[in-house]
mmCIF file of all heavy atoms in Angstrom:
data_model
loop_
_atom_site.group_PDB
_atom_site.id
_atom_site.type_symbol
_atom_site.label_atom_id
_atom_site.label_comp_id
_atom_site.label_asym_id
_atom_site.label_seq_id
_atom_site.Cartn_x
_atom_site.Cartn_y
_atom_site.Cartn_z
ATOM 1 N N CYS A 12 40.112 -47.135 42.013
ATOM 2 C CA CYS A 12 40.718 -48.073 41.077
ATOM 3 C C CYS A 12 40.108 -47.914 39.679
ATOM 4 O O CYS A 12 38.892 -47.805 39.544
ATOM 5 C CB CYS A 12 40.504 -49.489 41.588
ATOM 6 S SG CYS A 12 41.152 -50.745 40.481
ATOM 7 N N ILE A 13 40.970 -47.906 38.652
ATOM 8 C CA ILE A 13 40.473 -47.783 37.278
ATOM 9 C C ILE A 13 39.833 -49.094 36.800
ATOM 10 O O ILE A 13 39.069 -49.095 35.854
ATOM 11 C CB ILE A 13 41.583 -47.354 36.273
ATOM 12 C CG1 ILE A 13 42.870 -48.153 36.487
ATOM 13 C CG2 ILE A 13 41.853 -45.867 36.381
ATOM 14 C CD1 ILE A 13 43.846 -48.084 35.327
ATOM 15 N N CYS A 14 40.141 -50.191 37.486
ATOM 16 C CA CYS A 14 39.586 -51.485 37.087
ATOM 17 C C CYS A 14 38.229 -51.741 37.728
ATOM 18 O O CYS A 14 37.254 -52.011 37.045
ATOM 19 C CB CYS A 14 40.534 -52.615 37.478
ATOM 20 S SG CYS A 14 42.040 -52.621 36.527
ATOM 21 N N CYS A 15 38.171 -51.656 39.068
ATOM 22 C CA CYS A 15 36.953 -52.062 39.770
ATOM 23 C C CYS A 15 36.302 -50.930 40.546
ATOM 24 O O CYS A 15 35.314 -51.147 41.221
ATOM 25 C CB CYS A 15 37.259 -53.230 40.698
ATOM 26 S SG CYS A 15 38.251 -52.765 42.131
ATOM 27 N N LYS A 16 36.870 -49.725 40.447
ATOM 28 C CA LYS A 16 36.356 -48.550 41.170
ATOM 29 C C LYS A 16 36.478 -48.696 42.688
ATOM 30 O O LYS A 16 35.822 -47.979 43.439
ATOM 31 C CB LYS A 16 34.886 -48.236 40.801
ATOM 32 C CG LYS A 16 34.618 -48.138 39.299
ATOM 33 C CD LYS A 16 35.107 -46.831 38.712
ATOM 34 C CE LYS A 16 34.904 -46.824 37.195
ATOM 35 N NZ LYS A 16 35.991 -46.144 36.493
ATOM 36 N N GLY A 17 37.269 -49.642 43.103
ATOM 37 C CA GLY A 17 37.493 -49.850 44.530
ATOM 38 C C GLY A 17 38.388 -48.762 45.107
ATOM 39 O O GLY A 17 38.959 -47.953 44.376
ATOM 40 N N THR A 18 38.509 -48.740 46.423
ATOM 41 C CA THR A 18 39.348 -47.751 47.089
ATOM 42 C C THR A 18 40.813 -48.144 46.982
ATOM 43 O O THR A 18 41.163 -49.300 47.189
ATOM 44 C CB THR A 18 38.961 -47.644 48.581
ATOM 45 O OG1 THR A 18 37.548 -47.513 48.661
ATOM 46 C CG2 THR A 18 39.610 -46.434 49.231
ATOM 47 N N MET A 19 41.640 -47.146 46.662
ATOM 48 C CA MET A 19 43.068 -47.402 46.583
ATOM 49 C C MET A 19 43.756 -46.771 47.781
ATOM 50 O O MET A 19 43.407 -45.682 48.212
ATOM 51 C CB MET A 19 43.643 -46.842 45.286
ATOM 52 C CG MET A 19 42.984 -47.446 44.053
ATOM 53 S SD MET A 19 43.915 -47.158 42.539
ATOM 54 C CE MET A 19 45.005 -48.582 42.477
ATOM 55 N N CYS A 45 45.010 -51.056 45.059
ATOM 56 C CA CYS A 45 43.577 -51.259 45.223
ATOM 57 C C CYS A 45 43.318 -52.275 46.332
ATOM 58 O O CYS A 45 43.909 -53.347 46.344
ATOM 59 C CB CYS A 45 42.950 -51.738 43.921
ATOM 60 S SG CYS A 45 41.189 -52.051 44.067
ATOM 61 N N THR A 46 42.419 -51.902 47.261
ATOM 62 C CA THR A 46 42.114 -52.807 48.374
ATOM 63 C C THR A 46 41.211 -53.952 47.917
ATOM 64 O O THR A 46 41.044 -54.929 48.616
ATOM 65 C CB THR A 46 41.424 -52.040 49.527
ATOM 66 O OG1 THR A 46 40.291 -51.348 49.002
ATOM 67 C CG2 THR A 46 42.364 -51.038 50.165
ATOM 68 N N GLN A 47 40.605 -53.799 46.739
ATOM 69 C CA GLN A 47 39.697 -54.847 46.250
ATOM 70 C C GLN A 47 40.378 -55.843 45.314
ATOM 71 O O GLN A 47 40.318 -57.042 45.526
ATOM 72 C CB GLN A 47 38.509 -54.211 45.524
ATOM 73 C CG GLN A 47 37.418 -53.741 46.477
ATOM 74 C CD GLN A 47 36.147 -53.417 45.709
ATOM 75 O OE1 GLN A 47 35.463 -54.315 45.243
ATOM 76 N NE2 GLN A 47 35.851 -52.135 45.586
ATOM 77 N N CYS A 48 41.015 -55.323 44.231
ATOM 78 C CA CYS A 48 41.549 -56.246 43.233
ATOM 79 C C CYS A 48 43.080 -56.255 43.188
ATOM 80 O O CYS A 48 43.669 -57.039 42.464
ATOM 81 C CB CYS A 48 40.982 -55.922 41.849
ATOM 82 S SG CYS A 48 41.651 -54.417 41.119
ATOM 83 N N GLY A 49 43.714 -55.362 43.954
ATOM 84 C CA GLY A 49 45.169 -55.365 44.009
ATOM 85 C C GLY A 49 45.852 -54.630 42.866
ATOM 86 O O GLY A 49 47.067 -54.682 42.716
ATOM 87 N N GLU A 50 45.064 -53.922 42.047
ATOM 88 C CA GLU A 50 45.617 -53.119 40.953
ATOM 89 C C GLU A 50 46.575 -52.075 41.539
ATOM 90 O O GLU A 50 46.321 -51.507 42.596
ATOM 91 C CB GLU A 50 44.464 -52.434 40.197
ATOM 92 C CG GLU A 50 44.874 -51.505 39.073
ATOM 93 C CD GLU A 50 45.439 -52.221 37.841
ATOM 94 O OE1 GLU A 50 45.226 -53.428 37.699
ATOM 95 O OE2 GLU A 50 46.103 -51.538 37.051
HETATM 96 ZN ZN1 LIG B 101 40.529 -52.548 41.855
#
Side-chain angles (χ1 to χ4, degrees):
C12 178
I13 46 164
C14 291
C15 71
K16 309 283 176 217
T18 311
M19 301 196 90
C45 178
T46 54
Q47 278 193 73
C48 73
E50 177 71 18

